[in-house]
Coordinates of all heavy atoms in Angstrom, one line a residue:
E188 N -13.0 250.1 72.8 CA -13.0 251.5 72.5 C -13.3 252.3 73.7 O -12.7 253.4 73.9 CB -14.1 251.8 71.4 CG -13.7 251.2 70.0 CD -14.9 251.4 69.0 OE1 -15.9 251.9 69.5 OE2 -14.7 251.1 67.8
A212 N -7.9 233.6 69.2 CA -8.0 232.3 68.3 C -7.1 231.2 68.8 O -7.4 230.1 68.6 CB -7.7 232.7 66.9
M226 N -11.9 215.6 82.6 CA -11.0 214.5 82.5 C -9.9 214.6 83.5 O -9.0 213.8 83.5 CB -10.5 214.3 81.1 CG -11.6 213.8 80.1 SD -10.9 213.4 78.5 CE -10.4 215.1 78.0
K243 N -3.4 217.7 75.4 CA -3.0 216.5 76.0 C -4.3 215.6 76.3 O -4.3 214.4 76.1 CB -2.3 216.7 77.3 CG -0.9 217.2 77.1 CD -0.1 217.3 78.5 CE 1.3 217.7 78.3 NZ 2.1 217.8 79.6
W246 N -5.4 214.1 73.1 CA -4.5 213.1 72.7 C -4.7 211.8 73.5 O -4.7 210.7 72.9 CB -3.0 213.6 72.9 CG -2.0 212.5 72.4 CD1 -1.6 212.2 71.2 CD2 -1.3 211.6 73.3 NE1 -0.7 211.2 71.2 CE2 -0.5 210.8 72.5 CE3 -1.3 211.5 74.7 CZ2 0.3 209.9 73.1 CZ3 -0.5 210.5 75.2 CH2 0.3 209.7 74.4
T277 N -9.7 169.8 60.0 CA -10.8 168.8 60.0 C -10.4 167.7 59.0 O -10.1 168.0 57.8 CB -12.0 169.5 59.5 OG1 -12.3 170.6 60.4 CG2 -13.2 168.5 59.4
A283 N -15.2 154.8 51.9 CA -15.5 153.4 52.3 C -14.9 152.5 51.3 O -15.1 152.7 50.1 CB -17.0 153.1 52.5
Q288 N -14.9 140.6 50.2 CA -15.8 139.4 50.4 C -17.2 139.7 50.3 O -18.1 138.8 50.4 CB -15.5 138.8 51.8 CG -14.0 138.3 51.9 CD -13.8 137.7 53.3 OE1 -14.7 137.8 54.2 NE2 -12.6 137.1 53.5
T318 N -34.8 90.6 77.7 CA -33.5 90.9 77.1 C -33.4 92.5 77.0 O -34.4 93.1 76.7 CB -33.4 90.4 75.7 OG1 -33.6 88.9 75.8 CG2 -32.1 90.6 75.0
Y325 N -30.0 98.6 69.1 CA -31.3 98.7 68.3 C -31.6 97.3 67.8 O -30.7 96.5 67.5 CB -31.2 99.7 67.2 CG -31.0 101.1 67.6 CD1 -29.7 101.6 67.8 CD2 -32.1 102.0 67.7 CE1 -29.5 102.9 68.2 CE2 -31.9 103.3 68.0 CZ -30.6 103.8 68.3 OH -30.4 105.1 68.6
S328 N -34.4 96.6 60.9 CA -35.0 95.9 59.8 C -33.9 95.4 58.9 O -32.7 95.9 58.8 CB -35.9 96.8 58.9 OG -35.2 97.8 58.4
N347 N -36.5 105.8 60.9 CA -35.6 105.5 59.8 C -34.6 106.6 59.7 O -35.0 107.8 59.5 CB -36.4 105.3 58.5 CG -35.6 104.8 57.4 OD1 -34.5 105.2 57.2 ND2 -36.2 104.0 56.5
D348 N -33.3 106.3 59.7 CA -32.4 107.3 59.7 C -32.1 107.8 58.2 O -31.3 108.7 58.0 CB -31.0 106.8 60.2 CG -30.5 105.6 59.6 OD1 -31.2 105.1 58.6 OD2 -29.5 105.0 60.0
A364 N -33.0 111.1 86.3 CA -32.3 109.8 86.4 C -31.8 109.5 85.0 O -32.5 109.7 84.0 CB -33.1 108.7 86.9
I393 N -52.6 97.1 75.8 CA -54.0 97.0 76.1 C -54.4 95.6 76.7 O -55.4 95.4 77.2 CB -54.8 97.3 74.9 CG1 -54.6 96.3 73.8 CG2 -54.6 98.7 74.4 CD1 -55.5 96.5 72.5
I398 N -51.0 88.4 78.5 CA -49.9 87.8 77.7 C -48.9 87.1 78.7 O -48.5 87.7 79.7 CB -49.1 89.0 77.0 CG1 -50.0 89.6 75.9 CG2 -47.8 88.4 76.4 CD1 -49.4 90.7 75.1
K399 N -48.7 85.8 78.4 CA -47.9 85.0 79.2 C -46.6 84.7 78.6 O -46.6 84.5 77.3 CB -48.7 83.7 79.6 CG -50.0 83.9 80.3 CD -49.8 84.6 81.6 CE -51.2 84.8 82.4 NZ -51.0 85.5 83.6
G420 N -40.7 98.9 58.4 CA -40.6 99.7 59.6 C -41.6 99.4 60.7 O -41.5 100.1 61.8

Side-chain angles (χ1 to χ4, degrees):
E188 291 175 353
M226 291 186 293
K243 287 185 176 182
W246 180 82
T277 302
Q288 298 180 351
T318 303
Y325 295 85
S328 62
N347 187 324
D348 54 6
I393 61 176
I398 295 178
K399 301 298 181 179

